[in-house]
Amino acid sequence: METFDTIRTRRSIRRFAPTPLPDDAVRRILEAGRHSGSSMNEQPWTFLATRDRATLAALATVGDHAGHLAGAALGVAIVTPPLDPEGWLMFDVGQAATQMMLAAWAEGIGSCIASVYRHDDARRILGLPADRTVDCLLSFGYSAEPPRPPRAGGRQPFDRVVRWERW
Ligand SMILES: Cc1cc2nc3c(=O)[nH]c(=O)nc-3n(C[C@H](O)[C@H](O)[C@H](O)COP(=O)(O)O)c2cc1C
């Protein structure tokens, strides 16, 4: 898929077919995250990937809107050091997440973010060491639903979000 079309058409997918993902596609998704830029090239992440059904079901409980992980073919936890409110950590996480989701969409694989609300539960499920945490989980899989328009009726019009030269 052409890059702009990938960006323009990507939608969050929350219901997945039981079909497993090919290993090479999983590898490309994770490589897309690895190639992300990050502040000072610190690459503050580990991508903890799981295809284990029990782990995915458990991860589906760590956020109030994380249920989509239960049916995913692949879950990826973006594991980082604890968040620094002054720093760029979440921006870096967002970039890696976006690159993985777009790489997946470009080859017909859907995905969705899940925000972690219960961090200790997520840390326990994934066996994270004391100096690591996770705020962003991603589910991946072939879609079991047609892409839905995003909530609140799609994106704002171009002329509302773009201004030229001065405010
Ligand atoms: C920072 C962030 C957190 C999100 N957290 C969740 C979440 O916990 N559960 C979920 O189902 N979707 C989550 N989403 C997906 C958004 O709901 C979705 O991107 C938005 O509604 C636009 O829809 P689209 O991705 O289909 O264009 C999150 C997205 C972002 C960027």
Side-chain angles (χ1 to χ4, degrees), residues 45-152:
W45 43 56
T46 301
F47 307 127
L48 211 172
T50 179
R51 290 182 273 205
D52 181 77
R53 294 254 60 89
T55 303
L56 289 164
L59 289 175
T61 69
V62 306
D64 287 357
H65 309 284
H68 50 83
L69 276 150
L74 169 75
V76 176
I78 304 183
V79 176
T80 67
L83 286 188
D84 166 12
E86 306 282 308
W88 286 87
L89 204 48
M90 277 306 272
F91 187 93
D92 294 342
V93 168
Q95 290 219 117
T98 299
Q99 291 205 178
M100 285 191 267
M101 296 171 82
L102 288 174
W105 191 255
E107 49 185 299
I109 296 168
S111 64
C112 192
I113 295 176
S115 310
V116 175
Y117 288 51
R118 290 170 280 283
H119 293 84
D120 288 345
D121 290 350
R123 294 182 59 258
R124 179 180 45 75
I125 292 161
L126 294 169
L128 301 189
D131 61 348
R132 290 290 184 278
T133 191
V134 57
D135 288 276
C136 178
L137 300 167
L138 301 174
S139 54
F140 293 93
Y142 293 113
S143 182
E145 60 182 358
R148 294 188 208 170
R151 66 172 71 188

